[in-house]
Amino acid sequence: MTLPLPRPVHDANASGGGLGKLPEWDLSDLYSSPDCAEFKRDMAWLEKACADFAASYEGRLASLDAGAMLECVLAYERIDVAAGRIMSYAGLRYYQNTMDSDRAKFMADAQDRITTFTTPLVFFSLEFNRLEEDHLNRLLQANADLARYKPVFDRMRAMRPYQLSDELEKFLHDNSVVGASAWNKLFDETMAGLMFTVEGEDEELNLEATLNLLTDTDRNRRKAAAQALAGVFDRNIKLFARIHNTLAKEKEVEDRWRKMPSPQTGRHLSNHVEPEVVEALRNAVVAAYPKLSHRYYRLKAKWMGLEKLQIWDRNAPLPIETPKSVDWDSARDMVMNAYSAFDPKMADLARPFFEKGWIDAGVKPGKAPGAFAHPTVSTVHPYVMLNYLGKPRDVMTLAHELGHGVHQVLAAKQGELLSSTPLTLAETASVFGEMLTFRKLLDGAKTPAERKTLLAGKVEDMINTVVRQIAFYDFECKLHAARREGELTPDDINALWMSVQAQSLGDAFEFMDGYETFWAYIPHFVHSPFYVYAYAFGDGLVNALYAAYADGLPGFQEKYFEMLSAGGSKHHKDLLAPFGLDASDPKFWDKGLSMIAGFIDELEAMEA
């Protein structure tokens, strides 16, 4: 099991005081301590359960009747829960302090043991995929409880054309701990250990604190932070280029052996989304660059009295914006009020996160950057990680991650195998939670300047989530294509990065020397190739959903909770049908992009 990636990096967050008491995780619902009896018991049970499963079922799947196949699937699900619980605990504990060598060792040892234990299970998906279609259909027709798992089987069998021999699949499984997983750890630990000397600051800053300065009101501080980032990235660029070269080559080798038609195929399969749907999304966003990011940033340059924006101006506050810090209690109340106004049930689902130690909010040395919500396993509950600094954007991040948490709580009722939501739909509740909070704040704006500030902040977040993430996706597509032709130098990767930055951000920008290395710190490229388009997918989907809500679609709340409760048990077509939406229709994406354009229209009208 891997931890989810943080939401898009918006170059914000670092430490600060006066925010009130920030909550910390209580991981005891998973395990009370690394050496507790329950952890040892579960590890021992898992080792035996995996061996017993293989002894009972390997070579026999084709001979099982419907009842026996159901027992097999349930046994596999119980193993999945146990392994997920162990790795959730080890991973969350590690992310609290990635510089703690004991925590890193504990997680690595747990991963090694679980990889060893679960190697005998590799046969299951391979053998299941060799079942004849007619035979499987007869089993599903014979047992309704087994038929409930059909979405899981469909996703598994989507890999049939790309399946290798049993021996090779076991080798890849065993080798994973010294392949991508090891390079991921190297990246995480390197990033967590980087320190930046920013001109004018009293002490060295970590990555989070330095990125946070890019949203400072003082332009000189923003510039100094950008230059410090560029300097440190440049000094480490050979290492980051080596990580990307290795991971892209490893992926190319495995894709070639599997006969995957493209580097993106594996991601599309895991997301249960058709390549043409992703292509329609990508093309719609790229075509909209001129009316979205290009137009907005020209407006922003005008507001700031600049001929050209520099990269350190991209997320700068507006000159009319009054700097303010939102303490933790106020942030909680803002989000909970917005959730409750939509439906009290939404607030009820979010409340335990604040009351039961399910959120870790403070910025601490060694803590992983960004924010995420981790579902752990369906028998426990999610945990939310933030790096909360009291900025208005941090309130939106809280709304976002709580949306994930609500989604994960509702989906858990499906059970372990059916609760996991494809990435393309996993962003639905999070972005919707943000939109509810934003609309609540916008409705409460007391002055035109406050409304303008809120609108501009939302447009910037949407550009970061849609335009920037599709630019990231194009960068990855270019990088993986280029790596197939040979080793890439740091300059090669830099050039690919700058090609998508200029295209997506537009003519309002000049790019400082050193910005070409800023690809180096984006974790998504390392941890989960081609993940990033899911953010744009989720934003576009939510904009269309919110339009249906605002238009007064009858029974919207009930339909919405049903959609979240479905988890991974339905395809996106089936989930969106009750709302009259279809993501496979190219015009669908234009609806979502039109909402962003409409906000920019309003901002332009304020200038008239």
Side-chain angles (χ1 to χ4, degrees):
M1 168 174 279
T2 56
L3 286 167
L5 283 158
R7 65 183 304 209
V9 178
H10 289 353
D11 307 334
N13 290 345
S15 59
L19 301 175
K21 184 173 173 54
L22 297 176
E24 294 187 3
W25 278 333
D26 175 3
L27 298 179
S28 61
D29 287 343
L30 292 166
Y31 296 103
S32 59
S33 70
D35 56 359
C36 70
E38 291 80 8
F39 186 88
K40 295 171 184 174
R41 176 202 67 201
D42 286 358
M43 193 67 91
W45 180 89
L46 184 64
E47 182 175 21
K48 184 175 187 303
C50 291
D52 290 350
F53 184 89
S56 298
Y57 294 112
E58 187 165 13
R60 293 188 54 227
L61 291 190
S63 65
L64 299 180
D65 63 20
M69 182 63 81
L70 176 62
E71 282 303 312
C72 173
V73 171
L74 293 174
Y76 188 91
E77 189 166 41
R78 287 191 291 272
I79 288 170
D80 212 33
V81 170
R85 186 178 194 132
I86 289 168
M87 285 314 303
S88 292
Y89 178 71
L92 291 173
R93 190 170 167 272
Y94 168 72
Y95 270 25
Q96 282 182 299
N97 188 353
T98 61
M99 300 304 292
D100 184 330
S101 56
D102 289 338
R103 294 179 188 229
K105 174 179 165 52
F106 180 76
M107 185 175 77
D109 287 349
Q111 183 71 71
D112 285 350
R113 292 182 70 187
I114 285 179
T115 300
T116 300
F117 296 166
T118 55
T119 295
L121 306 185
V122 172
F123 84 89
F124 177 69
S125 61
L126 306 176
E127 200 172 312
F128 194 94
N129 283 351
R130 286 196 289 267
L131 296 177
E132 294 295 331
E133 203 68 38
D134 288 347
H135 174 67
L136 178 57
N137 286 336
R138 284 194 295 273
L139 294 179
L140 299 180
Q141 289 165 9
N143 190 305
D145 291 332
L146 180 64
R148 189 173 158 269
Y149 288 92
K150 187 177 184 298
V152 179
F153 303 151
D154 288 344
R155 285 196 285 274
M156 194 158 61
R157 286 168 77 82
M159 281 296 293
R160 285 177 83 188
Y162 314 112
Q163 197 165 286
L164 300 174
S165 69
D166 292 13
E167 189 174 38
L168 272 175
E169 293 287 0
K170 286 179 180 177
F171 167 76
L172 288 173
H173 180 83
D174 276 350
N175 198 56
S176 64
V177 293
V178 291
S181 176
W183 289 97
N184 288 345
K185 288 194 190 83
L186 174 62
F187 174 85
D188 288 342
E189 289 165 8
T190 302
M191 275 297 161
L194 292 182
M195 298 301 291
F196 301 83
T197 302
V198 181
E199 185 179 343
E201 300 302 308
D202 294 335
E203 57 186 10
E204 283 192 317
L205 303 176
N206 65 11
L207 179 63
E208 283 286 337
T210 310
L211 290 172
N212 177 62
L213 289 177
L214 296 179
T215 63
D216 198 89
T217 53
D218 185 333
R219 193 166 191 246
N220 289 328
R221 291 186 85 195
R222 298 198 304 269
K223 178 180 180 180
Q227 290 174 333
L229 289 165
V232 173
F233 294 158
D234 185 62
R235 287 195 292 277
N236 291 274
I237 203 66
K238 288 184 178 179
L239 173 61
F240 295 128
R242 171 60 47 223
I243 291 171
H244 281 69
N245 267 292
T246 304
L247 289 172
K249 182 62 179 177
E250 181 187 54
K251 184 174 187 346
E252 185 272 324
V253 170
E254 184 171 333
D255 285 351
R256 176 159 37 88
W257 277 77
R258 293 190 183 282
K259 297 182 172 56
M260 292 269 188
S262 76
Q264 300 84 2
T265 297
R267 176 62 56 207
H268 298 337
L269 288 171
S270 68
N271 284 344
H272 208 208
V273 65
E274 300 76 15
E276 56 270 22
V277 172
V278 178
E279 188 68 9
L281 163 64
R282 182 264 169 201
N283 291 343
V285 173
V286 171
Y289 285 170
K291 70 178 182 181
L292 300 181
S293 49
H294 298 187
R295 184 162 63 119
Y296 174 76
Y297 288 127
R298 283 195 289 269
L299 260 182
K300 185 165 188 176
K302 180 181 173 184
W303 295 334
M304 298 183 75
L306 298 169
E307 286 291 320
K308 292 282 186 179
L309 295 174
Q310 293 290 343
I311 204 60
W312 55 80
D313 299 317
R314 186 171 62 81
N315 283 328
L318 302 186
I320 62 167
E321 192 170 336
T322 304
K324 64 177 179 179
S325 182
V326 184
D327 65 53
W328 178 253
D329 288 346
S330 298
R332 178 197 61 210
D333 292 345
M334 286 180 193
V335 175
M336 290 293 282
N337 288 340
Y339 277 24
S340 184
F342 171 71
D343 193 299
K345 178 180 177 180
M346 188 102 144
D348 291 342
L349 289 163
R351 191 166 288 109
F353 286 85
F354 295 100
E355 297 177 351
K356 296 188 175 182
W358 299 2
I359 299 176
D360 196 295
V363 177
K364 292 164 275 190
K367 184 176 175 181
F372 62 72
H374 181 42
T376 71
V377 287
S378 55
T379 54
V380 187
H381 57 75
Y383 284 91
V384 164
M385 193 196 84
L386 307 170
N387 280 276
Y388 187 81
L389 299 164
K391 296 201 169 194
R393 271 199 175 115
D394 294 342
V395 179
M396 290 298 134
T397 299
L398 172 61
H400 180 103
E401 300 305 340
L402 269 184
H404 276 307
V406 166
H407 194 172
Q408 291 159 359
V409 167
L410 288 168
K413 298 164 189 169
Q414 294 288 343
E416 195 66 19
L417 295 180
L418 283 163
S419 63
S420 180
T421 309
L423 291 176
T424 41
L425 296 169
E427 293 299 321
T428 305
S430 54
V431 180
F432 196 84
E434 269 191 273
M435 183 64 79
L436 290 173
T437 305
F438 164 71
R439 293 286 187 172
K440 185 80 171 171
L441 293 174
L442 191 66
D443 290 345
K446 295 179 176 62
T447 66
E450 187 179 352
R451 184 175 180 86
K452 180 177 179 178
T453 298
L454 284 167
L455 275 172
K458 185 59 178 173
V459 167
E460 291 195 12
D461 279 347
M462 294 171 109
I463 287 173
N464 280 329
T465 305
V466 178
V467 170
R468 190 158 158 81
Q469 300 307 311
I470 289 301
F472 282 0
Y473 177 68
D474 278 356
F475 167 72
E476 286 190 276
C477 292
K478 290 184 174 189
L479 184 141
H480 283 262
R483 183 63 181 92
R484 289 184 171 217
E485 302 303 315
E487 179 87 4
L488 300 175
T489 67
D491 285 345
D492 292 334
I493 304 177
N494 292 348
L496 296 176
W497 173 256
M498 292 308 297
S499 71
V500 300
Q501 293 301 304
Q503 180 193 21
S504 61
L505 296 178
D507 58 7
F509 277 91
E510 281 181 352
F511 296 100
M512 71 170 193
D513 289 342
Y515 180 64
E516 65 273 9
T517 62
F518 275 46
W519 53 269
Y521 79 95
I522 309 297
H524 307 74
F525 303 154
V526 173
H527 287 281
S528 197
F530 307 109
Y531 179 109
V532 288
Y533 73 73
Y535 292 118
F537 194 109
D539 200 273
L541 189 156
V542 165
N543 290 343
L545 265 181
Y546 194 88
Y549 168 58
D551 290 343
L553 180 72
F556 183 92
Q557 280 87 336
E558 184 181 351
K559 291 182 171 78
Y560 181 73
F561 287 124
E562 284 178 5
M563 178 178 70
L564 300 189
S565 299
S569 67
K570 292 183 179 179
H571 188 266
H572 62 78
K573 271 186 175 290
D574 300 321
L575 287 173
L576 293 176
F579 303 94
L581 302 171
D582 181 3
S584 64
D585 179 357
K587 294 178 183 175
F588 171 84
W589 301 112
D590 292 331
K591 292 179 187 175
L593 296 172
S594 294
M595 180 179 286
I596 309 175
F599 288 157
I600 301 174
D601 290 343
E602 185 173 345
L603 287 168
E604 283 184 333
M606 289 179 175
E607 298 299 297

